[in-house]
Amino acid sequence: MIHARPLPAYLIQRFQGWKATTYQENKSWYRRLASSGQHPRAMVISCCDSRVHVTSIFGADEGEFFIHRNVANLVPPFNPDGEYHGTSAAVEYAVTSLGVAHIVVLGHSNCGGVKGCHDMCCGDAPELLEKSSFVGRWMDILRPGYQRVEGMPAGEILPALEKQAVLVSLENLMTFPFVKAAVEDDRLTLHGLWTNTGEGELEQYDPNRDGFVGV
C-alpha cells in the first residue's frame, strides 16, 4: 500500500503517553479483557460525529459497550440481499453472537447527517440526490422521519428530525427477525436516546408519552 503513511507525531505522542500511564496502571485488566473475550451488556449505535463520546457520557470502561458508529446513528431495514451491510452485520453479531441485553440508539444535537437529509428532502442539496452519493443514499433511510416532521415550524424541524433518526432506527431494528424474537422473548430491550452535546443533556424516548423526556 504505497499511499499509507506513518502516524502524525501528535498521535504517536498520545499513544506513548497512554501506554506509559493508563495502560501500565491497568495492565492486568487489559490482559484479562484480551484473554477472556468481550462480554458487553449493551450495544450502542451512535453517530460518527466526533463530538459524541459515548463512553464519556456513561463513564464506561473498556469491554462494557459494543459500539457501532455511522452517519446519523441510523439502522436500515432488514434487507438480506447479499450486498455489503456494515450496520446490519454489527447488529447481527451483537444479538446472535454476543447476546447483548440492550441496544441503545443515541442521536444528538446539530447532527450534520440529519441536516443533510433535511436539505436533500427540501431540494437544497441536489448533490445528495445523485445515485453516486453514499451520504445521500444512506440518508434515504430517514425520509420517512422527514415526512412526519416536514409540516412543523421551521425552527423545530431539525431537532425533531434528529429524534426521528432514533425512532426510525428503533422501528427498523424490529424488522430484523433475530432482534424481534429476542425482544419478544425478553432477552433484549431497545432504548432511544438523544443528547444535547452543548448543554450536556440527555433525553430518552418514553413510549407511554410518545416523546422524549429528560433523564
Side-chain angles (χ1 to χ4, degrees):
M1 285 295 296
I2 62 173
H3 300 294
R5 294 291 184 268
L7 278 175
Y10 81 95
L11 288 179
I12 292 176
Q13 291 170 357
R14 288 185 181 183
F15 164 73
Q16 292 172 340
W18 171 83
K19 184 69 180 290
T21 55
T22 303
Y23 176 79
Q24 289 299 324
E25 294 165 3
N26 300 277
K27 185 185 298 185
S28 60
W29 170 242
Y30 283 105
R31 289 181 173 174
R32 179 181 174 186
L33 283 176
S35 63
S36 65
Q38 62 169 327
H39 304 283
R41 296 177 61 185
M43 176 185 192
V44 180
I45 300 171
S46 64
C47 186
C48 294
D49 194 302
S50 60
R51 297 166 295 182
V52 180
H53 203 264
V54 175
T55 53
S56 292
I57 292 173
F58 295 106
D61 290 326
E62 292 83 354
E64 285 195 55
F65 291 155
F66 182 72
I67 300 175
H68 177 76
R69 302 181 72 155
N70 63 39
V71 176
N73 43 264
L74 291 173
V75 176
F78 180 69
N79 184 25
D81 59 3
E83 298 297 328
Y84 303 114
H85 294 282
T87 296
S88 299
V91 171
E92 178 184 4
Y93 185 71
V95 176
T96 64
S97 295
L98 297 178
V100 296
H102 309 277
I103 296 181
V104 177
V105 180
L106 175 65
H108 71 100
S109 59
N110 304 114
C111 180
V114 169
K115 187 177 186 306
C117 177
H118 170 271
D119 294 347
M120 177 179 68
C121 292
C122 289
D124 294 334
E127 70 278 5
L128 295 182
L129 293 172
E130 297 292 333
K131 186 177 180 180
S132 59
S133 173
F134 293 111
V135 173
R137 303 295 61 74
W138 181 251
M139 296 315 301
D140 281 337
I141 297 170
L142 187 51
R143 281 185 180 271
Y146 175 78
Q147 293 168 358
R148 296 172 189 166
V149 303
E150 61 180 325
M152 297 177 67
E156 299 178 13
I157 291 180
L158 280 176
L161 190 55
E162 290 164 358
K163 294 175 181 179
Q164 283 296 321
V166 176
L167 298 181
V168 167
S169 293
L170 292 175
E171 292 166 359
N172 287 343
L173 278 168
M174 288 298 288
T175 67
F176 289 75
F178 47 85
V179 171
K180 186 173 185 290
V183 169
E184 292 177 346
D185 292 343
D186 292 326
R187 292 181 283 112
L188 175 68
T189 57
L190 307 182
H191 311 272
L193 302 177
W194 176 87
T195 181
N196 185 322
T197 56
E199 300 300 322
E201 297 174 347
L202 186 67
E203 298 181 9
Q204 64 179 338
Y205 178 72
D206 182 347
N208 295 320
R209 302 185 187 183
D210 192 22
F212 286 76
V213 297
V215 172

Coordinates of all heavy atoms in Angstrom, one line a residue, residues 81-127:
D81 N -29.9 -9.0 1.0 CA -29.7 -9.1 -0.4 C -28.3 -9.5 -0.9 O -28.0 -9.5 -2.1 CB -30.0 -7.7 -1.0 CG -29.1 -6.6 -0.5 OD1 -28.2 -6.9 0.3 OD2 -29.3 -5.5 -0.9
G82 N -27.5 -9.9 0.1 CA -26.2 -10.4 -0.3 C -25.2 -9.3 -0.5 O -24.0 -9.6 -0.9
E83 N -25.5 -8.1 -0.3 CA -24.6 -7.0 -0.5 C -23.9 -6.6 0.8 O -24.0 -7.3 1.8 CB -25.4 -5.7 -1.0 CG -26.0 -6.0 -2.4 CD -25.0 -6.2 -3.5 OE1 -23.9 -5.7 -3.4 OE2 -25.4 -7.0 -4.4
Y84 N -23.1 -5.5 0.8 CA -22.4 -5.1 2.0 C -23.3 -4.3 2.9 O -23.9 -3.4 2.6 CB -21.2 -4.2 1.6 CG -20.3 -4.9 0.6 CD1 -20.1 -4.4 -0.7 CD2 -19.5 -6.0 1.0 CE1 -19.3 -5.0 -1.6 CE2 -18.6 -6.6 0.1 CZ -18.5 -6.1 -1.2 OH -17.7 -6.6 -2.1
H85 N -23.4 -4.8 4.2 CA -24.2 -4.1 5.2 C -23.5 -4.1 6.5 O -23.7 -5.0 7.4 CB -25.5 -4.9 5.3 CG -26.4 -4.9 4.1 ND1 -27.2 -3.8 3.8 CD2 -26.6 -5.8 3.1 CE1 -27.8 -4.1 2.6 NE2 -27.5 -5.3 2.2
G86 N -22.7 -3.0 6.7 CA -21.9 -2.9 8.0 C -22.8 -2.8 9.2 O -22.5 -3.5 10.2
T87 N -23.8 -1.9 9.2 CA -24.6 -1.7 10.4 C -25.4 -3.0 10.7 O -25.5 -3.4 11.8 CB -25.5 -0.5 10.2 OG1 -24.7 0.6 10.1 CG2 -26.5 -0.4 11.4
S88 N -26.0 -3.6 9.7 CA -26.7 -4.8 9.9 C -25.9 -5.9 10.4 O -26.3 -6.7 11.2 CB -27.4 -5.2 8.6 OG -28.3 -4.2 8.1
A89 N -24.6 -6.0 9.9 CA -23.7 -7.0 10.4 C -23.4 -6.8 11.9 O -23.3 -7.8 12.6 CB -22.4 -7.0 9.5
A90 N -23.2 -5.6 12.2 CA -22.9 -5.3 13.6 C -24.1 -5.6 14.5 O -23.9 -6.2 15.6 CB -22.5 -3.8 13.8
V91 N -25.3 -5.3 14.1 CA -26.5 -5.7 14.9 C -26.6 -7.2 15.0 O -26.9 -7.8 16.1 CB -27.7 -5.1 14.2 CG1 -29.0 -5.7 14.9 CG2 -27.7 -3.6 14.3
E92 N -26.4 -7.9 13.9 CA -26.5 -9.4 13.9 C -25.5 -10.0 14.9 O -25.8 -10.9 15.7 CB -26.2 -9.9 12.5 CG -26.2 -11.5 12.4 CD -25.9 -12.0 11.1 OE1 -25.6 -11.2 10.2 OE2 -26.0 -13.2 10.9
Y93 N -24.2 -9.5 14.8 CA -23.2 -10.0 15.7 C -23.5 -9.7 17.2 O -23.3 -10.6 18.0 CB -21.8 -9.4 15.3 CG -20.7 -10.0 16.1 CD1 -20.3 -11.3 15.9 CD2 -20.0 -9.3 17.1 CE1 -19.2 -11.9 16.6 CE2 -19.0 -9.8 17.8 CZ -18.6 -11.1 17.6 OH -17.6 -11.7 18.3
A94 N -24.0 -8.5 17.5 CA -24.3 -8.1 18.8 C -25.4 -9.0 19.4 O -25.3 -9.4 20.6 CB -24.7 -6.7 18.9
V95 N -26.4 -9.3 18.6 CA -27.6 -10.0 19.1 C -27.3 -11.5 19.1 O -27.6 -12.2 20.1 CB -28.8 -9.7 18.4 CG1 -30.0 -10.5 18.8 CG2 -29.1 -8.2 18.5
T96 N -26.8 -12.1 18.0 CA -26.8 -13.5 17.9 C -25.5 -14.1 18.4 O -25.5 -15.3 18.8 CB -26.9 -13.9 16.4 OG1 -25.8 -13.4 15.7 CG2 -28.2 -13.4 15.8
S97 N -24.4 -13.4 18.5 CA -23.1 -13.9 19.0 C -22.8 -13.4 20.4 O -22.4 -14.2 21.2 CB -22.0 -13.5 18.0 OG -22.2 -14.2 16.8
L98 N -22.9 -12.1 20.6 CA -22.6 -11.6 21.9 C -23.7 -11.7 22.9 O -23.5 -11.6 24.1 CB -22.2 -10.1 21.8 CG -20.9 -9.8 20.9 CD1 -20.6 -8.3 20.8 CD2 -19.7 -10.6 21.5
G99 N -25.0 -11.7 22.4 CA -26.1 -11.8 23.3 C -26.3 -10.6 24.2 O -26.6 -10.8 25.3
V100 N -26.2 -9.4 23.6 CA -26.3 -8.2 24.4 C -27.8 -8.2 24.9 O -28.7 -8.6 24.3 CB -26.0 -6.9 23.6 CG1 -24.5 -6.9 23.2 CG2 -26.9 -6.8 22.4
A101 N -27.9 -7.5 26.1 CA -29.2 -7.4 26.7 C -29.9 -6.1 26.3 O -31.1 -6.0 26.5 CB -29.1 -7.5 28.2
H102 N -29.2 -5.2 25.8 CA -29.7 -3.9 25.4 C -29.1 -3.4 24.1 O -27.9 -3.6 23.9 CB -29.4 -2.8 26.5 CG -29.8 -3.2 27.9 ND1 -31.1 -3.1 28.4 CD2 -29.0 -3.8 28.9 CE1 -31.1 -3.6 29.6 NE2 -29.9 -4.0 29.9
I103 N -30.0 -2.7 23.3 CA -29.5 -2.0 22.2 C -29.9 -0.5 22.4 O -31.1 -0.3 22.5 CB -30.0 -2.5 20.8 CG1 -29.4 -3.9 20.5 CG2 -29.5 -1.5 19.7 CD1 -29.9 -4.5 19.2
V104 N -29.0 0.4 22.4 CA -29.2 1.8 22.6 C -28.9 2.6 21.3 O -27.8 2.5 20.8 CB -28.4 2.4 23.7 CG1 -28.6 3.9 23.9 CG2 -28.6 1.7 25.0
V105 N -29.9 3.3 20.8 CA -29.7 4.2 19.7 C -29.6 5.6 20.2 O -30.5 6.1 20.8 CB -30.8 4.1 18.6 CG1 -30.5 5.0 17.4 CG2 -31.0 2.6 18.1
L106 N -28.4 6.2 20.0 CA -28.2 7.5 20.5 C -28.0 8.6 19.5 O -27.1 8.6 18.7 CB -26.9 7.5 21.3 CG -26.3 8.8 21.9 CD1 -27.3 9.3 23.0 CD2 -25.0 8.6 22.5
G107 N -29.0 9.5 19.4 CA -29.0 10.6 18.5 C -28.4 11.8 19.2 O -28.2 11.8 20.4
H108 N -28.2 12.9 18.5 CA -27.6 14.1 19.1 C -27.9 15.4 18.4 O -28.4 15.4 17.2 CB -26.0 13.9 19.1 CG -25.4 14.1 17.8 ND1 -24.8 15.2 17.3 CD2 -25.2 13.2 16.8 CE1 -24.3 15.0 16.1 NE2 -24.6 13.8 15.7
S109 N -27.7 16.5 19.1 CA -28.0 17.8 18.5 C -27.0 18.2 17.4 O -25.9 17.7 17.4 CB -27.9 18.8 19.7 OG -26.6 18.8 20.3
N110 N -27.4 19.1 16.6 CA -26.6 19.6 15.5 C -25.9 18.5 14.6 O -24.8 18.6 14.3 CB -25.5 20.5 16.1 CG -26.1 21.7 16.9 OD1 -25.9 21.7 18.1 ND2 -26.8 22.6 16.3
C111 N -26.7 17.5 14.3 CA -26.2 16.4 13.5 C -26.1 16.8 12.1 O -27.1 17.1 11.4 CB -27.1 15.2 13.7 SG -26.6 13.7 12.8
G112 N -24.9 16.7 11.5 CA -24.7 17.1 10.1 C -25.4 16.2 9.2 O -25.9 16.6 8.1
G113 N -25.4 14.9 9.5 CA -26.1 13.9 8.6 C -27.6 14.2 8.5 O -28.2 14.1 7.4
V114 N -28.2 14.5 9.7 CA -29.6 14.8 9.7 C -29.9 16.1 8.9 O -30.9 16.1 8.2 CB -30.1 14.9 11.1 CG1 -31.5 15.5 11.2 CG2 -30.1 13.5 11.8
K115 N -29.1 17.1 9.1 CA -29.3 18.3 8.3 C -29.1 18.0 6.8 O -29.9 18.6 6.0 CB -28.2 19.4 8.7 CG -28.5 20.7 8.0 CD -27.5 21.8 8.5 CE -27.9 23.1 7.9 NZ -28.1 23.2 6.5
G116 N -28.2 17.1 6.4 CA -28.1 16.7 5.0 C -29.4 16.1 4.5 O -29.8 16.4 3.4
C117 N -30.0 15.3 5.3 CA -31.3 14.7 4.9 C -32.3 15.7 4.7 O -33.1 15.7 3.8 CB -31.7 13.6 6.0 SG -33.3 12.9 5.6
H118 N -32.4 16.7 5.7 CA -33.4 17.7 5.6 C -33.2 18.6 4.3 O -34.1 18.8 3.6 CB -33.2 18.7 6.8 CG -34.0 19.9 6.8 ND1 -33.5 21.1 6.2 CD2 -35.2 20.3 7.2 CE1 -34.3 22.0 6.2 NE2 -35.4 21.6 6.8
D119 N -31.9 18.9 4.0 CA -31.6 19.7 2.9 C -31.9 19.0 1.6 O -32.5 19.5 0.6 CB -30.2 20.2 2.9 CG -29.9 21.2 4.0 OD1 -30.8 21.7 4.6 OD2 -28.7 21.4 4.3
M120 N -31.6 17.7 1.6 CA -31.9 16.8 0.4 C -33.4 16.8 0.1 O -33.8 16.9 -1.0 CB -31.3 15.5 0.6 CG -31.6 14.5 -0.5 SD -30.8 12.8 -0.2 CE -31.8 12.3 1.2
C121 N -34.1 16.5 1.2 CA -35.6 16.4 1.0 C -36.2 17.7 0.7 O -37.3 17.7 0.0 CB -36.2 15.8 2.3 SG -35.7 14.1 2.7
C122 N -35.6 18.8 1.1 CA -36.2 20.1 0.7 C -35.7 20.6 -0.7 O -36.2 21.6 -1.2 CB -35.7 21.2 1.7 SG -36.4 21.0 3.4
G123 N -34.8 19.8 -1.3 CA -34.3 20.2 -2.6 C -33.2 21.2 -2.6 O -32.8 21.7 -3.6
D124 N -32.6 21.4 -1.4 CA -31.5 22.3 -1.3 C -30.1 21.7 -1.4 O -29.1 22.4 -1.3 CB -31.6 23.1 0.1 CG -32.8 23.9 0.2 OD1 -33.3 24.4 -0.9 OD2 -33.3 24.2 1.3
A125 N -30.1 20.4 -1.6 CA -28.8 19.7 -1.7 C -28.9 18.7 -2.8 O -28.9 17.5 -2.6 CB -28.4 19.0 -0.4
P126 N -28.9 19.2 -4.1 CA -29.1 18.3 -5.2 C -28.0 17.3 -5.4 O -28.2 16.2 -5.9 CB -29.1 19.2 -6.4 CG -28.5 20.5 -5.9 CD -28.8 20.6 -4.5
E127 N -26.8 17.6 -4.9 CA -25.7 16.6 -4.9 C -25.9 15.4 -4.2 O -25.4 14.3 -4.5 CB -24.4 17.3 -4.5 CG -24.3 17.6 -3.0 CD -25.0 18.9 -2.5 OE1 -25.7 19.5 -3.4 OE2 -24.9 19.2 -1.3

